[in-house]
Amino acid sequence: AALKDALRSQVSAALKEGRVTPTELCQRCLALIKSTKFLNAYITVTEETALKQAEESEERYKRGQPLGILDGIPIAVKDNFNTAGIETTCASKMLKGYISPYNATVVQKLLDQGAVLLGKTNLDEFAMGSGSTDGVFGPVRNPWSYSKQYKEKSVPKSHSEDKESNWVITGGSSGGSAAAVSSFTCFAALGSDTGGSTRNPAAHCGVVGLKPTYGLISRHGLIPLVNSMDVPGILTRCVDDAAVLLGSLAGHDPKDSTTIQDDFKPFELPDLTDVSKLSVGIPKEYNAPGLSSEILALWSKAADLFKNAGAKVVEVSLPHTRYSIVCYHVLCTAEVASNMARFDGLEYGHRSDVKDSTESMYAATRREGFNDVVRGRILSGNYFLLKQNYEKYFVKAQKVRRLIANDFMKVFRSGVDILLTPTTLSDAASYTEFIQEDNRTRSAQDDILTQAANMAGLPAINVPTALSERGLPVGLQFIGRSFQEKQLLTVAKWFEKQVQFPVIQLEEVKRHDNGVFQHQKSVSFS
Amino acid sequence: QKVSVEVLDHLEHLALVDFRDSEGVERLQKAIQFADQLHEVNTDGVEPMDSVLEDRCLYLREDDVTEGNCTKELLENARETVEEYFVAPPGNIPLEKLEGRKTYLQGS
């Protein structure tokens, strides 16, 4: 089995048939993590425990009693999920050295099914950002920066130009997870999605990024950013794998009262051949200012793809789209102001040496522990929540939120099954270009296409579609109805099959993977 | 409309984080400007939305103890503890007023 194999269709079978053992798989992934260290995708690599888990899995396979399809599969988890006995930092000084005393529900579920936890991935500090550049452990590099496809297209400005400075960002905030999946160091990774934090890096790194419906997957143990919008996100290399992960994670959790109580039945995705009964909506407002002509063309081509296959493709309107980012800005900072209040140095995390008074200790701890971005959002949030501003900003934003959610309801009620939109405004920017603007400006720009789905709680998925002129991945987004993940993923899987997105050609992986190169005879989409 | 120093000071006090420098204050100004766009939207007769799951009943557990006895684990993460207590500095001393605090706002 090759590291680039799809989990469900190939690796699981290989494990069952003994063609590869969990320890071999684990060791190969760990070796690859070491050789791709320059990507800075991992904050913590749990080598010892991973190998132990792999050994235990191997025992189960020997006895013919694997726990399920995820048994022995190496996975990575974003560092804002609590993992028992393992440092959980949220890429912040505030939590450096914090060893979680418990597992987040989603982590526990993965471990209960025998998954092998390779480590915790890098992110923007406290998941605030759209580049994975603002964490205390430094930025994450997009594996595609080192791909043959990107290198071929980039023209060095001079011979002496440092190739190092040409690398592109992963997007964020789950950049580490996206990079880990994209560079084959794990088969799946957990991210989180509050405004697009799973779908954005998925688009830039050429992987599948699923944001499930709010309330489907437990948030217990996910260090919260915006309680009314956060969801755990799933990053995989193909849609089928995302369905597998979803199946193992979804369902009511008594420890998270915001999870719905309906029974969830894991599903296998059918191979859709007939899309004639499908109605695809193209929201015109998603042709947002700043959308690159390349992506606009790709989006149009995708719409034609559905039309030519017999689906009904209609232009729809979500009139409040352009206010959704403003609304998000207010609600997010307000909830952040509340959620970050727990970090005072008393019970966990960084604690300042100041000891004159509780308040001065808290203030000093927070001054020392949080970066500019986090502090900025806390202060803004507190401003919007001041008595004199509460109605004007916070309640107003909540009203606008309802209007945004209603826009989607109207469209879905009019017979549209699924929406097709771009995921990002352009392909990944180079790091030097990205840091020209501050975090808030970037987030406001980059979240524009993804965050309305968080406002309305709807499921959405990024499917890698084609390579840009610069040789970098571009993805398209599907947004579905609440709790209709099966339909969403079925359509996404059909689309994925049509576009045949190319496999990343990385030198490091070639050296490590003595498996057969998956030469996809791909009819490239663009 | 610039935010007054009184409000900025009040915010630092409420949030217990500081603006740090002029950039921090600028950031807030820009954030408010950005948020002001909300007032272009007509929300007459619209109810505020707290949660997308507002039509469902929140799950409530039975009032039974199902886990606990993890004092040791919880105390391990704290820097200063005494027996089973978290130790805090004196709590009845309010944060110093603007004049006394080492804050950027002093200069404004």
Side-chain angles (χ1 to χ4, degrees), chain A residues 133-172:
Chain A
T133 50
D134 278 323
V136 83
F137 297 100
V140 185
R141 298 188 182 200
N142 192 328
W144 284 84
S145 313
Y146 304 95
S147 67
K148 187 157 170 251
Q149 291 104 329
Y150 177 64
K151 288 193 213 172
E152 278 173 355
K153 296 291 181 86
S154 50
V155 180
K157 292 189 184 71
S158 70
H159 277 296
S160 57
E161 183 192 72
D162 181 13
K163 273 271 180 76
E164 282 299 294
S165 62
N166 214 18
W167 59 270
V168 298
I169 58 164
T170 50

Side-chain angles (χ1 to χ4, degrees), chain A residues 98-99 214 228 252 254-255 257-258 260-262 322-323 325-326 329-330 346-348 351 353 355-363 366-367 372 375 378-380 382-384 386 392-393 396-403 440 455-457 483, chain B residues 3 7 10-20 27-28 30-32 34-43 46-54 56-59 61 67 73-74 77-80 86-91 93-95:
Chain A
Y98 167 70
I99 311 285
Y214 179 85
S228 66
H252 177 64
K255 291 182 182 174
S257 61
T258 59
I260 58 159
Q261 295 157 65
D262 301 0
R322 70 187 198 89
Y323 293 107
I325 197 71
V326 186
H329 162 74
V330 174
L346 209 53
E347 293 163 59
Y348 43 74
R351 178 178 176 144
D353 290 328
K355 43 176 68 148
D356 315 337
S357 69
T358 326
E359 280 204 347
S360 64
M361 187 277 272
Y362 291 173
R366 291 156 72 81
R367 183 170 57 242
D372 287 350
R375 277 190 355 261
I378 294 172
L379 288 162
S380 302
N382 271 294
Y383 179 83
F384 298 133
L386 287 175
K392 230 172 46 145
Y393 291 98
K396 180 79 180 178
Q398 285 190 308
K399 293 181 179 179
V400 176
R401 181 175 186 177
R402 184 177 296 284
L403 292 176
R440 193 191 61 80
M455 277 291 172
F483 303 107
Chain B
V3 182
V7 174
H10 185 48
L11 287 175
E12 278 199 345
H13 205 127
L14 281 177
L16 290 182
V17 295
D18 63 319
F19 282 98
R20 190 74 44 106
R27 213 178 281 130
L28 176 66
K30 287 208 195 113
I32 300 169
F34 190 65
D36 280 334
Q37 291 174 76
L38 278 180
H39 302 119
E40 295 168 23
V41 187
N42 183 344
T43 51
V46 181
E47 283 297 300
M49 179 183 242
D50 291 314
S51 164
V52 295
L53 300 176
E54 60 188 1
R56 293 173 184 258
C57 250
L58 202 64
Y59 173 74
R61 291 193 296 187
E67 55 182 19
E73 287 91 326
L74 295 180
N77 274 309
R79 221 188 79 170
E80 286 182 45
F86 294 109
V87 180
I93 303 170
L95 198 67

Side-chain angles (χ1 to χ4, degrees), chain B residues 75-92:
Chain B
L75 288 172
E76 259 165 17
N77 274 309
R79 221 188 79 170
E80 286 182 45
T81 57
V82 163
E83 291 179 20
E84 293 191 343
Y85 294 89
F86 294 109
V87 180
N92 55 349

